[in-house]
């Protein structure tokens, strides 16, 4: 039998890597709470009038993580500097979604029903497995076009569920405004080109497009997802200004 990267034969276990590699391995995977975005967890705590440090957690997040989550919630206008939840924040909490997606779903309604319909599709794209794979490039437009062409795709179940929950009609999507909606969800991930395929993000970090991505050369990008292990951008859309130039 094979267990992970180990081979078990008659009660013996053989490692499929050398001793040098074995010495570099960590004893176990790090707890997700120590690496994941805590913004949704922090909102939940704020709704209870509590702090994350009030909970008896096996692994307590660092102060830097909590500060970062607070900054994200403030950027989304969900809480203020004193961690008081806004009306918008309470509406996001009622949706039961991740805070970035909830913000996009609600703010898109202010533009038009068509924009909210598009937001429903983007929400599912951000939550589910990429229907095209990252080798297809990072452009959201291609994924959305695929969904428009394949109404029997499995992702449509989630899209219809969001339409039903928001009492939103399914209308033609204004794909030209995809970047605007991603900006609603991830204002801290708006990126400006800083050389070659690299981008400087609003939150002070950097990221890059995968090699041969069709969006290389765009001055500005709105980012919806990225491979955090090496900060590669996965779901992006060019700004309206760049789209007009191209």
């Amino acid at each position: 039998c094979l267990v992970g990267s180990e081979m078990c034969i008659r009660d013996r276990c053989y490692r499929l890597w050398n001793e040098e590699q074995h010495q570099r391995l960590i004893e176990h995977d790090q707890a997700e709470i120590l690496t994941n975005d805590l913004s949704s967890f922090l909102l939940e705590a704020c709704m209870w009038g509590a702090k994350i440090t009030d909970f008896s957690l096996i692994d307590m997040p660092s102060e830097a993580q909590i500060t970062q989550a607070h900054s994200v919630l403030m950027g989304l206008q969900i809480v203020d500097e004193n961690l008081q939840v806004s009306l918008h924040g309470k509406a996001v909490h009622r949706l039961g979604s991740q805070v970035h997606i909830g913000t996009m779903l609600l703010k898109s309604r202010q533009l038009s029903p068509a924009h909210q319909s598009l937001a429903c599709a983007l929400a599912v794209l951000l939550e589910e497995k990429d229907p095209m794979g990252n080798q297809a490039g990072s452009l959201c437009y291609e994924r959305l076009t695929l969904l428009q062409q394949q109404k029997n795709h499995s992702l449509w179940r989630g899209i219809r569920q969001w339409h039903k929950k928001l009492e939103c009609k399914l209308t033609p999507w204004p794909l030209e405004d995809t970047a605007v909606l991603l900006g609603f969800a991830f204002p801290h991930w708006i990126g400006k080109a800083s050389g070659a395929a690299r981008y400087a993000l609003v939150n002070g970090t950097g990221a890059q497009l995968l090699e041969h991505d069709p969006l290389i050369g765009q001055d500005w990008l709105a980012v919806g997802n990225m491979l955090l292990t090496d900060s590669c951008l996965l779901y992006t859309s060019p700004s309206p200004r760049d789209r007009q130039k191209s």
Side-chain angles (χ1 to χ4, degrees):
C1 66
L2 286 176
V3 181
S5 296
E6 297 180 342
M7 179 171 61
C8 303
I9 302 177
R10 292 186 179 180
D11 301 325
R12 293 186 179 184
C13 184
Y14 295 87
R15 294 196 305 266
L16 303 183
W17 58 83
N18 60 39
E19 184 64 23
E20 181 182 352
Q21 291 174 308
H22 183 71
Q23 293 300 323
R24 294 200 301 265
L25 294 176
I26 59 175
E27 291 187 9
H28 53 77
D29 291 337
Q30 194 172 23
E32 288 188 7
I33 196 171
L34 301 180
T35 58
N36 284 1
D37 176 19
L38 298 180
S39 52
S40 292
F41 182 21
L42 181 57
L43 173 59
E44 190 68 37
C46 290
M47 291 297 296
W48 282 87
K51 300 178 181 178
I52 288 180
T53 52
D54 292 335
F55 296 96
S56 299
L57 302 173
I58 296 176
D59 297 287
M60 184 61 66
S62 67
E63 188 62 34
Q65 281 181 280
I66 297 173
T67 299
Q68 176 63 24
H70 187 187
S71 176
V72 168
L73 292 183
M74 287 182 62
L76 295 174
Q77 301 176 327
I78 287 176
V79 303
D80 62 18
E81 58 185 11
N82 297 315
L83 288 174
Q84 296 299 306
V85 183
S86 66
L87 292 176
H88 167 67
K90 292 177 181 177
V92 169
H93 182 263
R94 285 194 296 272
L95 281 181
S97 65
Q98 197 254 12
V99 293
H100 302 284
I101 289 175
T103 295
M104 176 183 66
L105 289 168
L106 294 177
K107 287 192 173 183
S108 61
R109 181 185 296 172
Q110 300 171 9
L111 299 179
S112 75
H115 285 85
Q116 190 171 44
S117 181
L118 171 59
C120 291
L122 280 173
V124 175
L125 275 179
L126 294 169
E127 291 177 322
E128 301 294 340
K129 184 178 179 180
D130 185 353
M132 298 180 68
N134 57 27
Q135 295 306 313
S138 66
L139 193 60
C140 279
Y141 180 93
E142 294 183 356
R143 276 89 177 165
L144 294 167
T145 300
L146 173 70
L147 292 176
Q148 286 182 319
Q149 295 171 345
Q150 299 182 14
K151 293 296 179 64
N152 61 343
H153 195 285
S154 60
L155 293 184
W156 270 98
R157 179 180 180 183
I159 295 172
R160 292 189 177 95
Q161 287 176 342
W162 273 122
H163 278 81
K164 182 178 180 180
K165 185 168 187 176
L166 296 170
E167 298 181 348
C168 171
K169 292 183 178 181
L170 179 60
T171 63
W173 298 334
L175 299 182
E176 67 278 5
D177 286 338
T178 300
V180 176
L181 300 190
L182 289 178
F184 285 160
F186 303 96
H188 55 298
W189 279 356
I190 293 174
K192 181 180 181 181
S194 59
R198 296 197 61 81
Y199 288 80
L201 307 182
V202 168
N203 65 2
T205 63
Q208 65 182 12
L209 289 166
L210 293 171
E211 189 178 6
H212 305 309
D213 193 285
L215 287 180
I216 290 177
Q218 298 287 343
D219 293 334
W220 292 88
L221 292 178
V223 180
N225 192 11
M226 58 182 165
L227 188 63
L228 297 179
T229 52
D230 51 10
S231 296
C232 286
L233 305 179
L234 296 184
Y235 283 178
T236 59
S237 181
S239 70
R241 180 187 302 175
D242 280 352
R243 191 172 55 248
Q244 290 171 2
K245 287 165 54 179
S246 58

